[in-house]
Amino acid sequence: MANETVSTGAIRRSTILAIGVFAVFAILLVRILIIQTVSFEKYQSKVINQMTTESRVAADRGRIYDRNGNVLATNITTYRVFISPSSIESNSGDKDSTDYVNYAGTIAKGLSDILGVEYDYVYKQASYTQYLDRTIQRKVDEKTADTVREFIEDNELEDMVYLEAQSTRYYPGSTLGAHVIGFTSSDGIGLYGLEYQYNEYLKGTDGYYIKARDSYGNEMPYEYASYIEAIDGYNLTTTIDATVQSYLEEQLAKTVSDHNVKNRATGIVMDVNSGAILAMATSAPCDLNDPWALTSDAMQTLKNSGYATDSDEYNKLLATVRTQTWSNKSVGESYIPGSTFKIITSSMALEEKKVSLTETVTCRGSMSVLGIRIHCHKVEGHGGLSFAQGLQQSCNVWFMTLGDRIGINDFKQYANAFGYNEKTGIDLPGEGNGIFNSQMSELDLAIYAFGQNFNVTPIQHISAISSVANGGDLYTPYLVEKITDNSGNVIYAHETEVKRKTVSEDVCKQISTILEEGVSGNGGAKNAYVAGYKVAAKTGTSEKKERECPRCGYTGNPVYEGEGENKKLTGYVCSVCEYKGGEDVFAVSEKYICSTVAYAPADDPQVAIIIIVDEPTKGVLYGSTVAAPYVSDALENILPHLGVTARYTESELAKMAVTVGNYRTWNVSYAKEVIEKMGLEVEIVGGGNTVAAQLPASGSRIEKTGGKVYLYTDKSLIEQNIVVPDFNGMNAITANAVINQMGLNIRIVGASGHINDKNVFVYSQSIAAGTRVGKGEVITLRFRSLDGDEDPSYTEE
């Protein structure tokens, strides 16, 4: 065999090839090494994600309770209906095959019929075959879920259609406490109120159920699954009393209805000795179980706008009214307090010894400050008034005098001490600020002293008033008493916090006595009177002038051109719908805010209440008529509920209504004797000896004065021949006389301590005018005084 010589070129090529192969293998080895070390977790995760599915096990959101353990927010079981497009495709087979089954169509038809969703929607979800899970509907109730189960079983769809039990937020009270409790998103995240404020405590920690699946999406054996348990959220026990809350909401709804209120009413009930909020409400609340649904007020606003439902203007207004429906007026909005602030000015003056209780000032209807004449609400003047009378009759001249004596610096310091220049720190989101001018002139001081030209929030104001009620301690208001886990372990407990001392206990007692004497006597707040309880109260009315959008009714903001001396007003633009126009289009609208603040019992204060009515349009628009009667009605129910015992004066006992007994089957003479001992008159109708019927009916409450019971010895003798007149607008003296003359009985509710006052008028009656009744029937009349103790139009000249 001949020797063959290998050329140098061949060796070189072989060497290069060998090096190349070696380099490729080296790169691959390095890559494998990186995958196995540096990027191990990344690729392991990819493999696991392809082999497993992770199902969330939702934690139960913590419950919210009122102070007595009543559930305000809880969870109920609903169901998520979902399909597995991947399984649907694999089970259906090849479309070109004779064995093909159109499971997507069957499922779309069945679920659309049961759930009320569109067929096309379900069918489209089934087409996403790369997915193992597509949701068709959430929050499906138990009954509907049972129907879905039957559908699955009947059509053997167990690995294609699924039901997943879910915990859904549920509010048993529906609208009760809506602005305080708030609500959650569909994912269980707190969006408003306490649900938002305490979301981190309430939400809990979700668990997971991890399942292994093969390449076809089928579950692998149990040993390939793992379960991470969910941790439920903590529970809140609030300071809210559900019964007190319902009483407050009832009165807000009544004043809104009675006075055709345009911008909602709001109210707060507070424990004056701790700052605990017993109730807080804003009128026209949403249903917390369906917060996105529009209230009737919101729908009317949208309808009145005239906007097309698909327009940008409509959608912007929709967002505004929806947000307004959810907003908590007690915390987030400010208003001019009016004469209710005179409680604070009086406290300042007494604390600084700038006035004595017996001192007298003569009110001639106005007072000049820096050459500008400012009127009292009683333009003809009050004449000579003591300090106590000045507060009770709400004389502006008296309070301008006090403001001048207090001085700008001290006035501002006390305003700070009472908390008007800071947020209260209440545990709710969205707390607003008041508007208090720190650069105060003597003219500002004069007007501020009687409660005009500055803004406070309702929560600021009731906190300040409560400090006067309790002896001078300013508390931080709060809503959550404690946070616990499901085993009852306390995670957090509120500690009462006194921010500072405002004024002395002696001053507070003096103010309370003056206010109570005004309510039970002839002060401007007498509509806040509650028989059996000493109520300290002050009413207030303020005016706001706004440019109103002609399209949607919201406020128009000024539009300017130029700067400095060249700056000039060119028109207005709506804050909501952005409609533009001049002064002739955006007319000035004068609107009123009527309010009353009160606390009781005045000699041992327990609770304070404030009701603020924004833009009432019907009736006599004073705080004494639009707010005070509703404060009275609320306290009449709240105080007994809280265990505060009524203590009637001799005068009240003499005027108290009596309860009619059941005298049927009694001997006529004996029944007459018993009734007359109660201080009532008796008239017997018929010649028999036994009572067969009576009017008023057993259990009726009637006034002693003029009260008469008719005893019938034969039922057929009762004649329904008296036509009930319209008592609305009658003064108390006239109404009482008419009822007695007609042979009817009266039940007095409201300013009953002033029933002989010609300025106390009927504003509602229990039996409608025109109804036919029999002699002795009881008609309940509700009275209120129409005396206004404050007028927002103090006019500067």
PDB file of all heavy atoms in Angstrom, residues 39 62 94 125 139 193 204 284 320 354 356 373 394 414 450 459 468 477-478 485 572 624 674 698 734 751 755:
ATOM      1  N   SER A  39     -30.340  30.329  35.606  1.00  0.00           N
ATOM      2  CA  SER A  39     -31.736  30.519  35.194  1.00  0.00           C
ATOM      3  C   SER A  39     -32.622  29.348  35.581  1.00  0.00           C
ATOM      4  O   SER A  39     -33.699  29.154  35.002  1.00  0.00           O
ATOM      5  CB  SER A  39     -31.792  30.726  33.669  1.00  0.00           C
ATOM      6  OG  SER A  39     -31.037  31.829  33.279  1.00  0.00           O
ATOM      7  N   GLY A  62     -63.472  40.262  56.357  1.00  0.00           N
ATOM      8  CA  GLY A  62     -63.958  40.425  57.722  1.00  0.00           C
ATOM      9  C   GLY A  62     -65.328  41.078  57.770  1.00  0.00           C
ATOM     10  O   GLY A  62     -65.703  41.858  56.887  1.00  0.00           O
ATOM     11  N   ASP A  94     -62.500  16.426  16.044  1.00  0.00           N
ATOM     12  CA  ASP A  94     -62.192  17.096  14.779  1.00  0.00           C
ATOM     13  C   ASP A  94     -63.492  17.511  14.096  1.00  0.00           C
ATOM     14  O   ASP A  94     -64.420  16.718  13.949  1.00  0.00           O
ATOM     15  CB  ASP A  94     -61.395  16.146  13.884  1.00  0.00           C
ATOM     16  CG  ASP A  94     -60.818  16.846  12.662  1.00  0.00           C
ATOM     17  OD1 ASP A  94     -61.316  17.950  12.331  1.00  0.00           O
ATOM     18  OD2 ASP A  94     -59.895  16.291  12.039  1.00  0.00           O
ATOM     19  N   GLN A 125     -66.409  33.088  24.029  1.00  0.00           N
ATOM     20  CA  GLN A 125     -65.510  32.672  25.108  1.00  0.00           C
ATOM     21  C   GLN A 125     -65.018  31.243  24.880  1.00  0.00           C
ATOM     22  O   GLN A 125     -63.866  30.912  25.164  1.00  0.00           O
ATOM     23  CB  GLN A 125     -66.222  32.770  26.460  1.00  0.00           C
ATOM     24  CG  GLN A 125     -66.641  34.170  26.873  1.00  0.00           C
ATOM     25  CD  GLN A 125     -65.492  35.152  26.876  1.00  0.00           C
ATOM     26  OE1 GLN A 125     -64.445  34.897  27.469  1.00  0.00           O
ATOM     27  NE2 GLN A 125     -65.666  36.274  26.183  1.00  0.00           N
ATOM     28  N   LYS A 139     -71.353  36.123  40.760  1.00  0.00           N
ATOM     29  CA  LYS A 139     -72.432  36.396  41.715  1.00  0.00           C
ATOM     30  C   LYS A 139     -73.732  35.689  41.339  1.00  0.00           C
ATOM     31  O   LYS A 139     -74.822  36.256  41.397  1.00  0.00           O
ATOM     32  CB  LYS A 139     -72.666  37.902  41.851  1.00  0.00           C
ATOM     33  CG  LYS A 139     -71.503  38.643  42.475  1.00  0.00           C
ATOM     34  CD  LYS A 139     -71.835  40.098  42.733  1.00  0.00           C
ATOM     35  CE  LYS A 139     -70.679  40.817  43.409  1.00  0.00           C
ATOM     36  NZ  LYS A 139     -70.987  42.247  43.706  1.00  0.00           N
ATOM     37  N   GLY A 193     -65.739  54.473  52.280  1.00  0.00           N
ATOM     38  CA  GLY A 193     -66.096  54.329  53.680  1.00  0.00           C
ATOM     39  C   GLY A 193     -65.142  53.450  54.478  1.00  0.00           C
ATOM     40  O   GLY A 193     -63.942  53.372  54.206  1.00  0.00           O
ATOM     41  N   GLY A 204     -58.020  40.059  54.450  1.00  0.00           N
ATOM     42  CA  GLY A 204     -57.459  38.729  54.654  1.00  0.00           C
ATOM     43  C   GLY A 204     -56.409  38.392  53.608  1.00  0.00           C
ATOM     44  O   GLY A 204     -56.024  39.222  52.779  1.00  0.00           O
ATOM     45  N   ALA A 284     -80.515  60.209  50.600  1.00  0.00           N
ATOM     46  CA  ALA A 284     -80.471  59.526  49.298  1.00  0.00           C
ATOM     47  C   ALA A 284     -79.255  58.618  49.156  1.00  0.00           C
ATOM     48  O   ALA A 284     -78.487  58.742  48.200  1.00  0.00           O
ATOM     49  CB  ALA A 284     -80.506  60.540  48.153  1.00  0.00           C
ATOM     50  N   THR A 320     -70.430  62.368  37.718  1.00  0.00           N
ATOM     51  CA  THR A 320     -70.527  63.331  38.811  1.00  0.00           C
ATOM     52  C   THR A 320     -71.628  62.960  39.789  1.00  0.00           C
ATOM     53  O   THR A 320     -71.412  62.947  41.009  1.00  0.00           O
ATOM     54  CB  THR A 320     -70.788  64.745  38.257  1.00  0.00           C
ATOM     55  OG1 THR A 320     -69.681  65.142  37.439  1.00  0.00           O
ATOM     56  CG2 THR A 320     -70.949  65.750  39.392  1.00  0.00           C
ATOM     57  N   LYS A 354     -65.227  88.535  79.027  1.00  0.00           N
ATOM     58  CA  LYS A 354     -65.555  89.728  78.255  1.00  0.00           C
ATOM     59  C   LYS A 354     -67.028  90.109  78.382  1.00  0.00           C
ATOM     60  O   LYS A 354     -67.468  91.108  77.813  1.00  0.00           O
ATOM     61  CB  LYS A 354     -65.224  89.514  76.774  1.00  0.00           C
ATOM     62  CG  LYS A 354     -63.768  89.183  76.490  1.00  0.00           C
ATOM     63  CD  LYS A 354     -62.848  90.334  76.833  1.00  0.00           C
ATOM     64  CE  LYS A 354     -61.402  90.020  76.462  1.00  0.00           C
ATOM     65  NZ  LYS A 354     -60.480  91.141  76.821  1.00  0.00           N
ATOM     66  N   SER A 356     -70.729  89.490  81.135  1.00  0.00           N
ATOM     67  CA  SER A 356     -71.376  88.885  82.305  1.00  0.00           C
ATOM     68  C   SER A 356     -72.771  88.421  81.900  1.00  0.00           C
ATOM     69  O   SER A 356     -73.348  88.919  80.917  1.00  0.00           O
ATOM     70  CB  SER A 356     -71.471  89.885  83.452  1.00  0.00           C
ATOM     71  OG  SER A 356     -72.377  90.937  83.119  1.00  0.00           O
ATOM     72  N   ARG A 373     -72.455  99.330  57.695  1.00  0.00           N
ATOM     73  CA  ARG A 373     -73.575  98.967  58.565  1.00  0.00           C
ATOM     74  C   ARG A 373     -73.992  97.524  58.296  1.00  0.00           C
ATOM     75  O   ARG A 373     -74.281  97.148  57.170  1.00  0.00           O
ATOM     76  CB  ARG A 373     -74.751  99.924  58.338  1.00  0.00           C
ATOM     77  CG  ARG A 373     -75.895  99.710  59.324  1.00  0.00           C
ATOM     78  CD  ARG A 373     -76.754 100.949  59.441  1.00  0.00           C
ATOM     79  NE  ARG A 373     -75.998 102.076  59.966  1.00  0.00           N
ATOM     80  CZ  ARG A 373     -75.726 102.269  61.266  1.00  0.00           C
ATOM     81  NH1 ARG A 373     -76.133 101.378  62.153  1.00  0.00           N
ATOM     82  NH2 ARG A 373     -75.051 103.314  61.657  1.00  0.00           N
ATOM     83  N   SER A 394     -80.664  84.981  69.257  1.00  0.00           N
ATOM     84  CA  SER A 394     -79.698  85.009  68.155  1.00  0.00           C
ATOM     85  C   SER A 394     -79.498  86.409  67.587  1.00  0.00           C
ATOM     86  O   SER A 394     -79.510  86.625  66.370  1.00  0.00           O
ATOM     87  CB  SER A 394     -80.159  84.061  67.046  1.00  0.00           C
ATOM     88  OG  SER A 394     -79.073  83.587  66.290  1.00  0.00           O
ATOM     89  N   TYR A 414     -58.910  80.742  69.742  1.00  0.00           N
ATOM     90  CA  TYR A 414     -59.999  79.864  70.181  1.00  0.00           C
ATOM     91  C   TYR A 414     -60.536  79.030  69.015  1.00  0.00           C
ATOM     92  O   TYR A 414     -60.889  77.851  69.198  1.00  0.00           O
ATOM     93  CB  TYR A 414     -61.127  80.688  70.808  1.00  0.00           C
ATOM     94  CG  TYR A 414     -60.894  80.977  72.273  1.00  0.00           C
ATOM     95  CD1 TYR A 414     -60.485  82.241  72.694  1.00  0.00           C
ATOM     96  CD2 TYR A 414     -61.078  79.984  73.225  1.00  0.00           C
ATOM     97  CE1 TYR A 414     -60.269  82.517  74.038  1.00  0.00           C
ATOM     98  CE2 TYR A 414     -60.853  80.240  74.580  1.00  0.00           C
ATOM     99  CZ  TYR A 414     -60.449  81.508  74.974  1.00  0.00           C
ATOM    100  OH  TYR A 414     -60.223  81.754  76.307  1.00  0.00           O
ATOM    101  N   PHE A 450     -70.922  86.023  64.345  1.00  0.00           N
ATOM    102  CA  PHE A 450     -72.277  85.458  64.311  1.00  0.00           C
ATOM    103  C   PHE A 450     -72.421  84.345  63.266  1.00  0.00           C
ATOM    104  O   PHE A 450     -73.511  83.974  62.863  1.00  0.00           O
ATOM    105  CB  PHE A 450     -73.365  86.542  64.157  1.00  0.00           C
ATOM    106  CG  PHE A 450     -73.282  87.435  62.950  1.00  0.00           C
ATOM    107  CD1 PHE A 450     -73.810  87.037  61.739  1.00  0.00           C
ATOM    108  CD2 PHE A 450     -72.724  88.692  63.052  1.00  0.00           C
ATOM    109  CE1 PHE A 450     -73.769  87.868  60.634  1.00  0.00           C
ATOM    110  CE2 PHE A 450     -72.680  89.547  61.960  1.00  0.00           C
ATOM    111  CZ  PHE A 450     -73.206  89.134  60.738  1.00  0.00           C
ATOM    112  N   ILE A 459     -68.462  67.453  60.681  1.00  0.00           N
ATOM    113  CA  ILE A 459     -67.767  66.683  61.724  1.00  0.00           C
ATOM    114  C   ILE A 459     -66.910  67.604  62.590  1.00  0.00           C
ATOM    115  O   ILE A 459     -66.778  67.393  63.805  1.00  0.00           O
ATOM    116  CB  ILE A 459     -66.914  65.536  61.105  1.00  0.00           C
ATOM    117  CG1 ILE A 459     -66.404  64.592  62.199  1.00  0.00           C
ATOM    118  CG2 ILE A 459     -65.780  66.075  60.263  1.00  0.00           C
ATOM    119  CD1 ILE A 459     -67.490  63.879  62.959  1.00  0.00           C
ATOM    120  N   VAL A 468     -68.171  71.712  74.214  1.00  0.00           N
ATOM    121  CA  VAL A 468     -68.931  72.590  75.102  1.00  0.00           C
ATOM    122  C   VAL A 468     -69.882  71.743  75.949  1.00  0.00           C
ATOM    123  O   VAL A 468     -70.063  71.979  77.145  1.00  0.00           O
ATOM    124  CB  VAL A 468     -69.714  73.647  74.299  1.00  0.00           C
ATOM    125  CG1 VAL A 468     -70.583  74.497  75.225  1.00  0.00           C
ATOM    126  CG2 VAL A 468     -68.760  74.530  73.508  1.00  0.00           C
ATOM    127  N   PRO A 477     -63.044  62.354  66.925  1.00  0.00           N
ATOM    128  CA  PRO A 477     -64.190  61.487  66.611  1.00  0.00           C
ATOM    129  C   PRO A 477     -63.716  60.200  65.950  1.00  0.00           C
ATOM    130  O   PRO A 477     -62.718  60.199  65.226  1.00  0.00           O
ATOM    131  CB  PRO A 477     -65.017  62.339  65.647  1.00  0.00           C
ATOM    132  CG  PRO A 477     -64.041  63.279  65.024  1.00  0.00           C
ATOM    133  CD  PRO A 477     -63.008  63.557  66.075  1.00  0.00           C
ATOM    134  N   TYR A 478     -64.444  59.114  66.201  1.00  0.00           N
ATOM    135  CA  TYR A 478     -64.005  57.835  65.641  1.00  0.00           C
ATOM    136  C   TYR A 478     -65.184  56.912  65.407  1.00  0.00           C
ATOM    137  O   TYR A 478     -66.273  57.094  65.969  1.00  0.00           O
ATOM    138  CB  TYR A 478     -62.981  57.172  66.562  1.00  0.00           C
ATOM    139  CG  TYR A 478     -63.540  56.644  67.870  1.00  0.00           C
ATOM    140  CD1 TYR A 478     -63.798  55.280  68.047  1.00  0.00           C
ATOM    141  CD2 TYR A 478     -63.815  57.504  68.936  1.00  0.00           C
ATOM    142  CE1 TYR A 478     -64.307  54.786  69.246  1.00  0.00           C
ATOM    143  CE2 TYR A 478     -64.320  57.025  70.136  1.00  0.00           C
ATOM    144  CZ  TYR A 478     -64.568  55.666  70.279  1.00  0.00           C
ATOM    145  OH  TYR A 478     -65.087  55.185  71.462  1.00  0.00           O
ATOM    146  N   ASP A 485     -60.104  38.998  65.462  1.00  0.00           N
ATOM    147  CA  ASP A 485     -60.093  37.892  64.513  1.00  0.00           C
ATOM    148  C   ASP A 485     -61.312  37.009  64.777  1.00  0.00           C
ATOM    149  O   ASP A 485     -62.123  37.288  65.670  1.00  0.00           O
ATOM    150  CB  ASP A 485     -58.782  37.099  64.589  1.00  0.00           C
ATOM    151  CG  ASP A 485     -58.558  36.443  65.946  1.00  0.00           C
ATOM    152  OD1 ASP A 485     -59.526  36.289  66.716  1.00  0.00           O
ATOM    153  OD2 ASP A 485     -57.402  36.071  66.240  1.00  0.00           O
ATOM    154  N   TYR A 572     -68.862  82.310  32.248  1.00  0.00           N
ATOM    155  CA  TYR A 572     -68.837  81.206  33.204  1.00  0.00           C
ATOM    156  C   TYR A 572     -68.833  79.874  32.460  1.00  0.00           C
ATOM    157  O   TYR A 572     -69.317  79.777  31.329  1.00  0.00           O
ATOM    158  CB  TYR A 572     -70.051  81.272  34.142  1.00  0.00           C
ATOM    159  CG  TYR A 572     -70.052  82.497  35.017  1.00  0.00           C
ATOM    160  CD1 TYR A 572     -70.599  83.702  34.557  1.00  0.00           C
ATOM    161  CD2 TYR A 572     -69.482  82.473  36.284  1.00  0.00           C
ATOM    162  CE1 TYR A 572     -70.579  84.841  35.346  1.00  0.00           C
ATOM    163  CE2 TYR A 572     -69.454  83.604  37.080  1.00  0.00           C
ATOM    164  CZ  TYR A 572     -70.004  84.787  36.610  1.00  0.00           C
ATOM    165  OH  TYR A 572     -69.968  85.906  37.389  1.00  0.00           O
ATOM    166  N   SER A 624     -84.662  76.795  62.261  1.00  0.00           N
ATOM    167  CA  SER A 624     -85.649  76.509  63.295  1.00  0.00           C
ATOM    168  C   SER A 624     -86.865  75.773  62.756  1.00  0.00           C
ATOM    169  O   SER A 624     -87.603  75.149  63.527  1.00  0.00           O
ATOM    170  CB  SER A 624     -86.095  77.812  63.963  1.00  0.00           C
ATOM    171  OG  SER A 624     -86.574  78.730  62.994  1.00  0.00           O
ATOM    172  N   VAL A 674    -114.164  55.876  86.104  1.00  0.00           N
ATOM    173  CA  VAL A 674    -112.727  55.645  85.873  1.00  0.00           C
ATOM    174  C   VAL A 674    -112.159  56.696  84.924  1.00  0.00           C
ATOM    175  O   VAL A 674    -111.072  57.242  85.142  1.00  0.00           O
ATOM    176  CB  VAL A 674    -112.494  54.228  85.324  1.00  0.00           C
ATOM    177  CG1 VAL A 674    -111.046  54.060  84.863  1.00  0.00           C
ATOM    178  CG2 VAL A 674    -112.828  53.186  86.378  1.00  0.00           C
ATOM    179  N   SER A 698    -109.188  51.838  72.334  1.00  0.00           N
ATOM    180  CA  SER A 698    -108.280  51.468  73.413  1.00  0.00           C
ATOM    181  C   SER A 698    -106.825  51.644  72.974  1.00  0.00           C
ATOM    182  O   SER A 698    -106.444  51.271  71.861  1.00  0.00           O
ATOM    183  CB  SER A 698    -108.528  50.005  73.801  1.00  0.00           C
ATOM    184  OG  SER A 698    -107.546  49.543  74.687  1.00  0.00           O
ATOM    185  N   THR A 734    -106.057  77.946  67.233  1.00  0.00           N
ATOM    186  CA  THR A 734    -107.175  77.722  66.318  1.00  0.00           C
ATOM    187  C   THR A 734    -107.437  76.242  66.109  1.00  0.00           C
ATOM    188  O   THR A 734    -108.579  75.782  66.147  1.00  0.00           O
ATOM    189  CB  THR A 734    -106.899  78.400  64.960  1.00  0.00           C
ATOM    190  OG1 THR A 734    -106.654  79.790  65.173  1.00  0.00           O
ATOM    191  CG2 THR A 734    -108.068  78.214  64.008  1.00  0.00           C
ATOM    192  N   ALA A 751     -93.772  71.066  69.165  1.00  0.00           N
ATOM    193  CA  ALA A 751     -93.535  72.143  70.124  1.00  0.00           C
ATOM    194  C   ALA A 751     -94.682  72.208  71.128  1.00  0.00           C
ATOM    195  O   ALA A 751     -95.344  73.221  71.289  1.00  0.00           O
ATOM    196  CB  ALA A 751     -93.372  73.468  69.395  1.00  0.00           C
ATOM    197  N   ILE A 755     -97.975  75.231  73.090  1.00  0.00           N
ATOM    198  CA  ILE A 755     -99.213  74.981  72.376  1.00  0.00           C
ATOM    199  C   ILE A 755    -100.151  76.186  72.374  1.00  0.00           C
ATOM    200  O   ILE A 755    -101.010  76.313  71.522  1.00  0.00           O
ATOM    201  CB  ILE A 755     -99.913  73.727  72.951  1.00  0.00           C
ATOM    202  CG1 ILE A 755    -100.998  73.242  71.993  1.00  0.00           C
ATOM    203  CG2 ILE A 755    -100.481  73.997  74.322  1.00  0.00           C
ATOM    204  CD1 ILE A 755    -100.478  72.865  70.643  1.00  0.00           C
TER     205      ILE A 755
END
